[in-house]
Amino acid sequence: MGRFKIVATAAVSGLLGMAVAAALTSYASWSRVVSDEQSLLKIFSERAMKNVENSLGQGRAAISSLAQWDGEFCSPEHVAFMRRITINTRAIEEVRFTGNDTQCNSWGDEVGNNKEPEVDGALGDGFELALRAEPHIQGIDPITLVRRGPYSVIINTSRLSDVILNEQLNLAIFYQNRIVSGLRVQDAVPWADVMSRQRERDDSHVYAVTKRNGWAAVVAEPITALPSSFKQELLRALPTSLIIGLLIAALAAKLFSQRRSPLSELKSAVQQREFVVHYQPIIALNSGECVGAEALVRWIRPDGSMVSPDKFIPLAEDSGLILDITDQVIKGVVDDLEQVLANNRGLHIAINLCAEDIKSGRFIAVIETALHNGLISHEQIWLEATERGFIDIDAAVGSLQKAKALGFHVAIDDFGTGYSSLQHLQRLPIDVLKIDKAFVDTIGTSSASSSVITHIIAMAKTLNLQIVAEGVETEAQANYLKAQGVEYAQGWLYSKALPAKDFVNFLG
Ligand code: C2E
Ligand code: CA
Ligand code: CA
């Protein structure tokens, strides 16, 4: 994968990762905001419930104290006693006494024949509760009555929700599913839903409910009151998601670059010495005997598959890795065939040189080292040079002359496919000319280039070069070439390139 692709993929994965991380963290922080807020609301609803219990408790305590009166009922002293208790008890506004024949209240008023309100519930220990009774005194809020025996205490209903509450919050005090008091109860809060479905949040509000003894304190907060803290949470989550995004990008870059480029694969193939040499027999046309072979490199991948040189030689040449491959081929030839060549001096191996080596002459030292024990003689090594190596013709002439002087044979490969001029051909120290398969293919056809092969052959003869025809696939081609005086042929008619062992067997 190319560098740009890796960077782009990593960037996209990073951005995606960041977005997902931001979404997750903001969802998490949103959930946290909501649950934090709910715990806070729970404190308020608990507090409101305590206030209800406290108010009712004060009423009960007052009645217990009143019951201790053993003097005359509704006497001025009795009224004064009731008034004292009213004043000393914060939650209650009035005390009423309803005896069998006398009725009075803490303010000394005649209660008259006001009928007692309906009882809504029992508070235990004989105490009863009447909610929203008609107030005796005009103009005050509906009252809550706590009663036992002849005494009733009046608690202003608003006392039941008398808690300090942030003004964005709503409070409702329920008694047996009926709202009896509250703060901002009229706001659009779906109170009934909350009680019936026990919901702690819906699209519009977050709730907290505290329930005890038939009472419930419900605190509601509109969702719109939350976002200010939500935004802060999101801001706080930002660095985390940024880091997560970067980590994902780095990870993606690493993963994608591990899916390696062809070049890095080829590099590691060179390091791991994954190349072997196959040998394609070269046949003497007049005797039909094998006189040698061309060494053709094969890349055996770790999975056992074989890659043909056409697939990797161009990349190897562009990247300079070809020099290491040449070295491995030379070493391979010596390792594979040293004994065979020592035993058969008439046999040769042709090795392909790359353009860079032809120019620099570097290969000479490599081959000399490989042949150091003298089992293979120099004449047994043919060096194939293609026209691509002749771009710097002076350099090519220099290194090939040096090779020839050492006894190596030099062949010009793929002849006729490049721009090779006859002048070059005359200057180069060549022993052998290899006719490219493209020309051999024209034999027996009426193609215009079919006459070219006769010219090439004639020219080679003039220059005193031996000829190898490449890619011979048919007897007809072989017969034609033989008739034309071509010395050698190489092609599938005889054999494909063989592993060393098979080539040795082929030799017989
Ligand atoms: P080349 O030097 O022209 O090698 C001959 C190619 O023709 C070989 O392909 C061979 O298998 C193929 N060939 C031989 N006879 C026939 C035939 O009858 N029919 C057909 N269709 N093909 C035939 P290969 O082995 O795939 O090599 C391809 C090219 O790779 C070579 O062309 C050569 O340019 C390069 N190469 C191979 N080994 C080396 C090496 O060790 N070093 C360098 N620098 N290049 C190499
Ligand atoms: Ca060749
Ligand atoms: Ca060739």
Side-chain angles (χ1 to χ4, degrees):
M1 199 180 276
R3 198 178 191 78
F4 174 75
K5 241 181 169 174
I6 292 171
V7 170
T9 318
V12 169
S13 327
L15 281 175
L16 272 175
M18 214 158 8
V20 170
L24 284 178
T25 41
S26 52
Y27 177 75
S29 44
W30 169 246
S31 303
R32 215 176 79 201
V33 166
V34 169
S35 85
D36 282 0
E37 205 61 17
Q38 271 167 336
S39 333
L40 198 71
L41 297 187
K42 186 73 186 167
I43 292 171
F44 289 134
S45 69
E46 194 65 39
R47 212 181 272 168
M49 179 55 80
K50 285 238 169 70
N51 177 62
V52 170
E53 288 168 341
N54 184 282
S55 304
L56 296 171
Q58 285 184 34
R60 291 163 54 137
I63 289 172
S64 298
S65 305
L66 288 162
Q68 280 163 21
W69 176 257
D70 56 1
E72 191 189 332
F73 292 129
C74 291
S75 63
E77 294 78 10
H78 186 217
V79 169
F81 177 62
M82 292 195 292
R83 185 180 305 138
R84 218 166 31 247
I85 285 179
T86 305
I87 289 165
N88 290 340
T89 310
R90 213 172 57 86
I92 68 179
E93 314 232 339
E94 186 184 313
V95 173
R96 286 184 194 174
F97 175 79
T98 315
N100 286 336
D101 19 62
T102 43
Q103 297 180 343
C104 54
N105 67 25
S106 46
W107 309 120
D109 302 331
E110 278 295 321
V111 177
N113 52 5
N114 269 356
K115 70 173 170 46
E116 287 298 332
E118 259 175 56
V119 169
D120 287 297
L123 292 173
D125 300 331
F127 291 101
E128 288 174 325
L129 180 72
L131 293 158
R132 295 183 172 265
E134 272 301 307
H136 175 59
I137 309 160
Q138 293 296 311
I140 76 161
D141 288 343
I143 54 174
T144 302
L145 244 123
V146 176
R147 185 174 71 183
R148 189 175 70 180
Y151 290 105
S152 307
V153 295
I154 291 162
I155 298 168
N156 190 333
T157 311
S158 60
R159 274 244 179 260
L160 297 179
S161 52
D162 188 12
V163 285
I164 296 167
L165 212 59
N166 176 330
E167 61 182 21
Q168 284 164 316
L169 305 185
N170 307 82
L171 168 69
I173 304 294
F174 288 79
Y175 183 73
Q176 286 167 351
N177 295 327
R178 200 147 57 89
I179 295 178
V180 295
S181 179
L183 289 171
R184 294 174 284 279
V185 182
Q186 319 302 340
D187 289 1
V189 181
W191 296 113
D193 276 16
V194 185
M195 286 307 285
S196 61
R197 289 189 224 147
Q198 311 269 337
R199 284 202 290 192
E200 297 227 311
R201 90 205 236 188
D202 57 29
D203 294 344
S204 59
H205 290 80
V206 180
Y207 306 98
V209 182
T210 299
K211 280 183 173 172
R212 271 198 300 264
N213 304 321
W215 294 88
V218 180
V219 179
E221 178 172 6
I223 298 259
T224 48
L226 295 175
S228 60
S229 50
F230 172 61
K231 267 180 211 149
Q232 280 171 6
E233 287 286 331
L234 194 63
L235 267 175
R236 214 180 304 161
L238 212 62
T240 322
S241 36
L242 213 74
I243 289 169
I244 291 174
L246 286 175
L247 280 177
I248 290 175
L251 202 75
K254 202 173 143 66
L255 279 176
F256 284 117
S257 58
Q258 271 170 0
R259 287 178 57 196
R260 292 181 312 180
S261 63
L263 181 59
S264 67
E265 283 189 38
L266 190 61
K267 251 183 212 158
S268 103
V270 167
Q271 277 163 10
Q272 304 299 316
R273 311 184 71 83
E274 288 172 6
F275 301 97
V276 299
V277 186
H278 282 190
Y279 301 90
Q280 186 174 36
I282 295 171
I283 308 297
L285 279 168
N286 55 15
S287 68
E289 272 178 37
C290 178
V291 294
E294 178 177 1
L296 294 163
V297 70
R298 298 287 181 264
W299 174 9
I300 310 293
R301 302 282 294 264
D303 65 5
S305 62
M306 196 168 78
V307 186
S308 90
D310 288 330
K311 299 258 165 57
F312 62 87
I313 293 286
L315 179 61
E317 288 195 334
D318 291 346
S319 60
L321 286 169
I322 188 68
L323 300 182
D324 291 302
I325 294 174
T326 302
D327 294 359
Q328 286 182 33
V329 168
I330 291 169
K331 187 171 184 307
V333 168
V334 174
D335 288 351
D336 289 340
L337 299 175
E338 197 169 43
Q339 279 308 323
V340 176
L341 290 167
N343 294 338
N344 186 350
R345 291 290 168 206
L347 204 66
H348 79 265
I349 298 297
I351 293 172
N352 290 285
L353 297 178
C354 66
E356 179 56 36
D357 267 332
I358 294 163
K359 196 176 138 192
S360 69
R362 184 203 68 102
F363 65 93
I364 295 172
V366 181
I367 301 180
E368 285 292 77
T369 310
L371 302 188
H372 72 279
N373 65 12
L375 284 174
I376 302 173
S377 71
H378 289 68
E379 302 75 49
Q380 290 181 287
I381 300 297
W382 289 15
L383 301 169
E384 295 193 4
T386 60
E387 295 166 352
R388 276 170 295 137
F390 307 149
I391 292 171
D392 184 346
I393 186 70
D394 295 328
V397 168
S399 52
L400 291 180
Q401 255 166 3
K402 211 165 140 197
K404 194 172 156 73
L406 285 165
F408 298 113
H409 283 231
V410 177
I412 182 164
D413 196 4
D414 300 342
F415 184 80
T417 59
Y419 73 103
S420 243
S421 75
L422 202 58
Q423 265 182 326
H424 283 174
L425 213 54
Q426 281 167 329
R427 277 192 67 193
L428 286 162
I430 306 168
D431 305 291
V432 179
L433 185 147
K434 295 191 84 166
I435 301 176
D436 194 76
K437 180 175 184 296
F439 300 108
V440 174
D441 285 344
T442 65
I443 294 170
T445 69
S446 56
S447 135
S449 55
S450 65
S451 64
V452 176
I453 190 164
T454 41
H455 290 297
I456 293 174
I457 294 167
M459 185 188 66
K461 298 265 174 219
T462 317
L463 292 171
N464 235 348
L465 303 178
Q466 289 192 301
I467 304 168
V468 180
E470 289 187 306
V472 178
E473 291 181 331
T474 65
E475 287 289 352
Q477 291 168 344
N479 291 335
Y480 175 87
L481 292 162
K482 191 175 164 185
Q484 294 286 312
V486 170
E487 288 88 353
Y488 308 108
Q490 176 186 351
W492 294 356
L493 174 63
Y494 310 102
S495 173
K496 291 194 174 180
L498 303 167
K501 225 173 76 207
D502 296 346
F503 172 62
V504 174
N505 287 337
F506 181 89
L507 288 172

